[in-house]
Amino acid sequence: MQVPDGIALDGVGKTFAGRGKVVEALRDVTLSCPSGSFTAIIGPSGCGKSTVMRIALGLESADAGQVRIAGAPPLAAARDGVTGVAFQDAALLPWRTVRRNVEVPLEVLRQPLRANAAKVQAMIELVGLKGYENALPGELSGGMRQRVAIARALVTHPKVLFMDEPFGALDQILRRQMNLELQRIWAETGSTAFLVTHGIDEAVFLADRVVVMHANPGRIVEVIDIPFARPRAPELFSDPAFHAVCDHIAKVLHGG
Amino acid sequence: MAAEASRWSGLRNAAILLLLWEIVGRLDLVAGGALPGLTEILHRLWIDRADYPLHIWATLYASGLGFVIGNLVGIAAGVIFALFPAALRVFRGVNIAVFALPPIAIAPILVLTLSGMAPRVTLAAMGVYFVTMTATVIGITQADSRARDLIRAYGGGRWDVLRLVQLRGAVPAILAGLRVAAPNAVLGAILAEFGGGGRWGLGTYLLGSLGRGEPDRLWGIGLVATVIAGLSYAGFALLSRRMLGASRAVTLNAAVPEAAPAKLSPVPRLLLGLAAIAMPFLLWWGFIRLTGVPDLISKTPWGVIDYLFLGRSAESAQARLLAALAETLPITFVGMLAGLGFAFLLAISSRLFPRAIAAFMPVALITQTMPLVALTPLLVLILGRGTTLTLWVTISVTFFPAFVTLAQGLALVPRSAEELPRAYGASRWTEIRMVTIPASLPYLFAATRLTVPRALLGVMIAEWLATGKGLGNLLNQSRGFLDYGMIWSVAAVSVALSVLFYQIVVVIERRVLRRVGMSSAE
C-alpha cells in the first residue's frame, strides 16, 4: 500500500442477497486517497457510494478486495481512534448535552474524559458553538446540530475523516455556509477527508478530487481532479471555470 | 388559548356529569337505587373510614410488590430478548400465554400452590410483566440506527451500543409501559383477591359487601380502587412527561432499518418453533416441581390430560367442561364483536363529529386507568345476575381499549392524505370511505388482538361473581367441591383458548395486511 496515512481500497466488491435476487452493490472499486487530501464521492441514489464508506468504516465487510485505513484494516483503525465520522443527519443522542455528545467517541474508545476536556472544548469552539456546551440537541437549530456532529467527528483528532452527506438535511444557504466552515476546519486539522455527497457544487468546492460512481453494479466511472487553489472563497461558486467543472461532472453522472 | 378553552370545557363537562350523577342517584332512578348519588357514596365512605386502611394496605402491598417484581423481570427479559432474538422466539409461547390468559382463571391455581400474599403478588406481577417487557424490547430495538452506526464506527461493540444508546434510548418507551402497567398491577391484585382467600384487600371487601346489598358502600370501594389505579397511572404519566422533554428524537431517522436477521434454515426454525410451544408446559411443570405441592392438588400437564381423557371420571369432566364452554364462548364473541363494533363506529364518526368525540375522549382515556373488570360487582347491582350483565361487562371491557386504540391510530393518519379527496371536492363520507376506513385497518386488528383476552376475562368474571353459568362458574364451583382436576383443566383450557384466538387474529391480520400492503400497528 503506497499511502500509509490515507485511504486505500483495492478491488473492493460487495453483493447483497435480498428477496431471491442478488444485488451487486459494488464491483472492483479501487481508490486511493493520499494523506491530507480531500476526496468527494458522488453518484446517483443506490450507486453504492454510502456502502463504500460503510465498508471503509468497518460497518460492513467487503466480499472481495482489500481495504486499508492508515495502513490498517478498517475495524482495527476504528479501535485505534484513527477515524472520525459524521453521518447524514446529525444523529445526536437527544438526552446528552452538546459537550456530552461530542464526548461519545472518547467514551467508546475508552479514553479518559477529564484529561480530554480541553480538547472537547476546543472542538466545540472550532465549530463555533461556544456558549452552547450545555444545550440539548432539541434546543439547537439544524445547522448547529450538524456542527456538533462535525465537532464530534473531529474530537479524536482523526487521521481520516468520513462524512456521509453531512449537510444533506440542510437548506442550500446553510449548506454553503457549512461548506466554508468545513473547508476551514479541515485545513486546520490536516486530516484525510472522504465526503459522500449528492451535491455537485459541494463536491467541487470542497474536494481535491471528485470520484463519480454509477449504479448497477456500483462502480467508479471517473475520477476528476479539481484544480482550484486553496483556500477557496465563496466567490468561486459563481466562477465560470467552477461551472465548467460542475457541468463536466454532471455529464459524467448522466452517463455522458 | 385553545388549550385553555378546551380545559375549561372539559371541566364544565365533568361538572355536568357529576351533577347528573348526583340527581339520578338521589332520585334512585337506576334499578331502585343501585346507583347512589356521589355525596351519598362519599358520606358512606366517611362512615366506613375505619375499615379502609387495612384493605387498602393489603391491595397496595400486593400490587406494589407485584409491580416491582413484574417490572424487574420484564425489563431484564426485554433486554435479553432484544439482544438475543432467538430467546424471543423460544419464549414466544410463554409471552403470548402471559398476555392472553384471563387472570381470574389462574387465580385459584395460584391460591392452591402458593401461600399468603404470593398469589396476589404473582398475578399483579404477571399483569405488569408483558407490558413492560414489550415496551423494553421495542424501546431497545427501535433505538436510532444512525447512533448505533456511530458507536460501531468507533469500534464499539454490542455492549457499548447497549450502554450508550439503547438503554437510555429505551427509557421513554419503558416509562410509557410503566404508565400502563401500574393500573394493571392493581387490577391483578384485586382479581387475585376475588379468586381466593385472605381477609383484607379491596377485592375481598368488594366481594364481601356484594352479598349485603349496600350500593353506597360498593360504590365507595369501587371509587377507592379506581382512584388508586388512576393515581398510579398519573404518577408515571407525569414522570414520563418530565423525562420525554429531554429525550424526544430531534430529527427523523432517515436510515433504512436493518433487514431482519438472515432467514433461518428449516431445521433450526422448526426446533425454535417447537421450543416455543413446549416452553409454557415446561414452565408449568417446573412451577409445580418447585412449589412441591402434592400431586393430588397440583396437576402437571400430564395430570390434566389424565383427568380429562383417561381417568375414571373423564367422561363427566368432559361433559361439564363442554357444557360450560357452550355457555361461555358464544357470549364472549357477541360481547367482543359488539364492543369492537361500537368502538369502530365511534372512532370513524370522530371524523364526522370531531367535537363530540373530543369531549368523549377524556372519559375513554380515564377508563384506561380504571380496573374495569374489578368493578363488575357494581354492574351486578344495576343489571342483576342475568345474561345482560355478562354482555355489558364484556362490552365495557372491550369497547374502551378498542376505541382508544382506534382513535389514537386514526389521529396518526397524515392530514394530507385526508385532504386530498377533499381537494377534489369529495364529500365527508367519500373521504371517510376512501381514506379513514382503510387507514384504520391496522388499528382495528391491533384493537382486536388487545380485546380478545379481555373479552374472555370479562365473561368469566361475570360468570364467577354473578350469573352462575359457564367457565367462570365451573371454576368457582370446582373450588368449593375441591375438584382440583377441574380447576386445573378450566385454567388450562381457558388459557389455551385465549392463545388460540389470539393466534387466529394474528394470522388473519398478517394475511389481510399483506394483501393491502400495510404493516401491523404496535
Side-chain angles (χ1 to χ4, degrees), chain B residues 228-290:
Chain B
I228 292 176
L231 282 180
S232 67
Y233 179 93
F236 282 97
L238 209 68
L239 191 66
S240 75
R241 191 179 301 169
R242 283 266 172 87
M243 303 280 295
L244 269 180
S247 312
R248 203 172 291 131
V250 285
T251 53
L252 268 178
N253 183 357
V256 181
E258 255 176 304
K263 286 263 184 285
L264 287 167
S265 49
V267 175
R269 211 162 103 191
L270 188 71
L271 285 178
L272 280 178
L274 286 177
I277 294 173
M279 205 64 188
F281 296 97
L282 212 65
L283 282 185
W284 174 359
W285 184 83
F287 173 73
I288 285 175
R289 286 288 156 265
L290 268 179

Side-chain angles (χ1 to χ4, degrees), chain B residues 99 130 134 138 142 402 404-413 438-450 502 505-506 509-510 513-514 516-522:
Chain B
F99 169 72
F130 184 83
T134 315
I138 290 178
Q142 290 188 341
V404 170
T405 307
L406 280 165
Q408 290 179 339
L410 284 180
L412 295 177
V413 177
S440 71
L441 209 54
Y443 305 103
L444 185 62
F445 278 114
T448 312
R449 269 187 283 141
L450 196 67
Y502 178 85
V505 176
V506 169
E509 175 180 13
R510 271 193 208 143
L513 290 186
R514 191 180 302 149
V516 297
M518 294 170 118
S519 56
S520 83
E522 281 313 325

Side-chain angles (χ1 to χ4, degrees), chain A residues 19 98 125 245:
Chain A
R19 294 207 163 230
V98 167
E125 285 173 21
V245 177

Side-chain angles (χ1 to χ4, degrees), chain A residues 54 59 89 94-95 107 110 138, chain B residues 146 149 160 164 168 246 252:
Chain A
R54 291 175 65 83
L59 291 175
D89 256 34
W95 52 84
E107 281 187 46
R110 306 277 192 284
Chain B
R146 303 160 304 172
D149 277 350
D160 291 300
L164 291 169
R168 181 58 182 78
L252 268 178

Side-chain angles (χ1 to χ4, degrees), chain B residues 63-95:
Chain B
S63 49
L65 193 58
F67 182 73
V68 171
I69 294 174
N71 278 322
L72 288 179
V73 177
I75 291 175
V79 171
I80 292 171
F81 292 159
L83 289 181
F84 307 102
L88 187 57
R89 280 167 193 255
V90 169
F91 275 87
R92 186 177 153 73
V94 175
N95 287 333

Side-chain angles (χ1 to χ4, degrees), chain B residues 356-378:
Chain B
I357 304 303
F360 177 66
M361 198 61 189
V363 179
L365 281 175
I366 287 171
T367 61
Q368 292 305 93
T369 71
M370 286 169 67
L372 268 186
V373 223
L375 302 183
T376 304
L378 306 184

